[in-house]
């Protein structure tokens, strides 16, 4: 949450431009020449549920203040021998849950998280550890294997299913979206030329109901009206809210060098998946990705996630001031659906990322090439070293996405 607005971020390795973790692993990555992709899965929690006296307007002063120095003890879920590399990574992990020293460059904007988990999987071993607390009432350590809402990392799953359906001849990414969703596309003037490819690549010009600044948008209402947090929405209602809040396209669909992140587009992709398969989005993702890969701790959430799943509870805070806003563990995942409702674990995400970015779930190598194609050549925020593809980011030799929900960032 930044400026009280939900937004996706790409935080696998791209969180660390220019510092030791990127340097440390990018060299090893290049040496492997993509034969054994290095996969980094990372989560950190902005604020966790507790029954402590946390009231609106209070300021989060850090997990060390709350739980004491013992909370900085690293919890290991690996058998990697200690060396300078692991010591450096331990120190890096602690920086996510502590305020930076005066002479230290902060790794994140705003206040630190109560807990963080880092999993790095390489051909030579792995680093899988956590720090901080998963419960600030009893200061219980975060379990590295805990399940978490992966937010917009869900978009990689959605994109993968779309490309599978193209291989099967059930759709083409060059299809006009209006062929599948005529009523939704008709909500915006000039949207009739939007294609599935444009939804995948965020080049459609569609607005974003979660990032909108319009006071009637769901993204703004989530912060201003606590009753919205647990409210269920259908995919159609999400799209209608966006069109009512932002009735104009941001730019002409497919315009040269234009790009704008849009959760609307990925909601429409979920609708298209349901239409062409005759199955629910949940069933399509489960049958095509989760079950074949044996991701036993991953599922597409439907509504408010039950407490027995074991998610860390969440609060919404202002990242700049640290001011507590409201409790968010009752968030209804239907509000993100095919754009951000999957629950997973770091270990399951490593399995998925390896399959996703090696084309294991595709029949034709050209499908992977299409998915990795840069989205908007010439876009002024893209470089040779950083650009969006079709359902993921490329950054300095690394592939991935990132996600943010009301309480977790990955």
């Amino acid at each position: 949450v930044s400026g009280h607005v939900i937004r996706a971020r790409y935080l696998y390795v791209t969180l660390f431009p220019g510092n030791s973790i990127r340097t440390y692993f990018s060299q090893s990555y290049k040496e492997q020449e993509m034969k054994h992709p290095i996969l980094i899965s990372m989560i950190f929690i902005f604020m966790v549920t507790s029954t402590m006296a946390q009231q609106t307007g209070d300021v989060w002063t850090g997990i060390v203040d709350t739980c004491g120095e013992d909370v900085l003890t690293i919890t290991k879920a690996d058998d990697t021998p200690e060396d300078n590399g692991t010591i450096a990574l331990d120190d890096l992990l602690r920086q996510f849950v502590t305020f930076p020293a005066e002479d230290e460059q902060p790794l994140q904007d705003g206040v630190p998280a109560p807990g963080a988990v880092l999993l790095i999987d390489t051909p030579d071993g792995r680093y899988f550890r956590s720090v901080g607390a998963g419960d600030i009432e009893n200061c219980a350590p975060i379990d590295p294997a805990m399940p978490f809402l992966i937010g917009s990392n869900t978009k990689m799953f959605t994109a993968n299913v779309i490309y599978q359906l193209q291989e099967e001849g059930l759709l083409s990414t060059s299809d006009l979206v209006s062929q599948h969703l005529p009523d939704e596309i008709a909500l915006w003037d000039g949207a009739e030329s939007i294609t599935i490819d444009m939804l995948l690549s965020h080049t459609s010009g569609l607005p974003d109901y979660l990032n909108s600044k319009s006071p009637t948008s769901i993204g703004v209402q989530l912060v201003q009206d606590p009753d919205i947090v647990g409210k269920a929405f259908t995919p159609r209602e999400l799209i209608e809210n966006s069109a009512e809040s932002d009735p104009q396209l941001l730019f002409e669909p497919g315009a040269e060098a234009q790009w704008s992140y849009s959760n609307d587009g990925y909601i429409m992709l979920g609708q298209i998946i349901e239409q062409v398969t005759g199955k629910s989005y949940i069933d399509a993702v489960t049958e095509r990705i989760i079950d074949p890969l044996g991701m036993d701790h991953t599922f597409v959430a439907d509504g408010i996630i039950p407490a027995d799943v074991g998610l860390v509870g969440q609060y919404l805070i202002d990242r700049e001031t640290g001011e507590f806003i409201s409790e968010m563990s009752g968030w209804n995942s239907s509000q993100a659906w095919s754009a951000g409702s999957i629950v997973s674990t770091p270990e399951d995400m490593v399995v998925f990322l390896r399959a996703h970015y090696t084309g294991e779930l595709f029949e034709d190598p050209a499908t992977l090439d299409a998915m990795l194609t840069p989205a908007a050549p010439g876009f002024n925020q893209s470089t040779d070293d950083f650009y969006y593809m079709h359902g993921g980011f490329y950054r300095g030799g690394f592939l991935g996405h990132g996600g943010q929900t009301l309480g977790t960032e990955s």
Side-chain angles (χ1 to χ4, degrees):
V1 176
S2 178
H4 299 190
V5 178
I6 302 167
R7 62 187 177 90
R9 296 183 65 192
Y10 32 93
L11 296 174
Y12 280 100
V13 178
T14 61
L15 186 66
F16 310 104
N19 71 16
S20 59
I21 191 169
R22 183 169 179 233
T23 303
Y24 185 84
F25 287 102
S26 61
Q27 180 60 38
S28 177
Y29 182 90
K30 290 171 182 175
E31 289 172 357
Q32 295 298 327
E33 296 180 346
M34 286 296 289
K35 294 177 183 177
H36 303 284
I38 287 176
L39 303 173
I40 295 186
S41 179
M42 179 172 185
I43 63 170
F44 55 98
I45 315 304
F46 275 130
M47 188 64 70
V48 295
T49 297
S50 78
T51 56
M52 297 178 68
Q54 193 79 26
Q55 304 295 327
T56 299
D58 285 354
V59 174
W60 171 248
T61 56
I63 195 63
V64 176
D65 243 17
T66 302
C67 297
E69 293 288 336
D70 286 349
V71 79
L72 298 182
T73 301
I74 299 291
T75 299
K76 293 181 58 176
D78 63 56
D79 55 5
T80 303
E82 299 302 311
D83 59 18
N84 290 338
T86 59
I87 292 170
L89 288 170
D90 286 350
D91 289 342
L92 184 72
L93 189 56
R94 290 189 184 96
Q95 290 181 48
F96 285 104
V97 299
T98 55
F99 288 91
E102 289 185 8
D103 60 346
E104 191 173 63
Q105 181 71 25
L107 289 181
Q108 56 185 321
D109 299 330
V111 298
V117 179
L118 175 61
L119 168 57
I120 301 169
D121 190 271
T122 82
D124 298 321
R126 70 176 188 168
Y127 176 99
F128 188 20
R129 304 182 184 185
S130 63
V131 70
D135 183 334
I136 62 176
E137 181 179 16
N138 59 28
C139 297
I142 268 193
D143 180 353
M146 60 170 282
F148 65 102
L149 278 158
I150 68 171
S152 284
N153 286 297
T154 299
K155 291 178 173 67
M156 291 186 286
F157 290 75
T158 300
N160 194 293
V161 173
I162 288 289
Y163 280 110
Q164 287 187 42
L165 296 175
Q166 177 170 252
E167 286 191 332
E168 295 165 18
L170 295 176
L171 58 77
S172 170
T173 57
S174 62
D175 286 350
L176 293 173
V177 177
S178 59
Q179 294 175 228
H180 303 277
L181 305 174
D183 294 340
E184 284 80 354
I185 285 298
L187 294 172
W188 286 274
D189 289 338
E192 59 275 359
S193 62
I194 293 176
T195 65
I196 291 176
D197 185 90
M198 294 176 193
L199 301 184
L200 288 164
S201 59
H202 298 298
T203 57
S204 68
L206 287 168
D208 185 342
Y209 70 97
L210 285 177
N211 287 316
S212 171
K213 293 181 171 59
S214 170
T216 61
S217 69
I218 291 172
V220 171
Q221 290 181 59
L222 276 171
V223 179
Q224 297 179 346
D225 183 358
D227 292 336
I228 296 294
V229 174
K231 183 178 179 180
F233 289 85
T234 66
R236 170 76 182 191
E237 288 171 338
L238 297 176
I239 296 301
E240 287 177 342
N241 171 266
S242 185
E244 291 166 2
S245 301
D246 295 286
Q248 304 298 319
L249 294 178
L250 303 180
F251 49 80
E252 181 181 348
E256 184 177 358
Q258 293 294 311
W259 185 90
S260 184
Y261 194 90
S262 175
N263 282 293
D264 293 36
Y266 273 76
I267 296 299
M268 289 187 182
L269 290 171
Q271 291 178 292
I272 291 170
I273 288 170
E274 291 197 330
Q275 185 194 86
V276 303
T277 63
K279 297 183 177 183
S280 70
Y281 174 76
I282 292 176
D283 287 345
V285 172
T286 302
E287 293 172 9
R288 291 171 173 273
I289 298 176
I290 295 173
D291 285 350
L293 294 179
M295 298 171 66
D296 295 335
H297 304 290
T298 299
F299 64 93
V300 183
D302 183 18
I304 297 173
I305 299 169
D308 60 8
V309 170
L311 295 184
V312 174
Q314 301 154 72
Y315 286 144
L316 181 65
I317 63 172
D318 185 315
R319 292 184 65 182
E320 294 182 1
T321 67
E323 181 180 333
F324 173 79
I325 298 173
S326 59
E327 198 271 341
M328 289 290 178
S329 63
W331 176 65
N332 196 304
S333 63
S334 69
Q335 297 174 16
W337 198 49
S338 53
S341 67
I342 289 179
V343 172
S344 189
T345 64
E347 290 175 295
D348 269 10
M349 284 301 291
V350 163
V351 172
F352 168 72
L353 288 167
R354 179 168 286 118
H356 183 61
Y357 284 117
T358 59
E360 179 181 333
L361 295 166
F362 303 140
E363 296 293 333
D364 185 351
T367 301
L368 179 61
D369 292 340
M371 190 180 74
L372 300 182
T373 301
F379 177 56
N380 62 12
Q381 294 182 35
S382 296
T383 67
D384 290 342
D385 221 25
F386 172 64
Y387 52 81
Y388 197 81
M389 302 175 294
H390 289 69
F393 288 92
Y394 171 86
R395 176 68 178 262
F398 292 94
L399 304 168
H401 206 286
Q404 192 172 58
T405 66
L406 297 174
T408 60
E409 190 159 353
S410 58

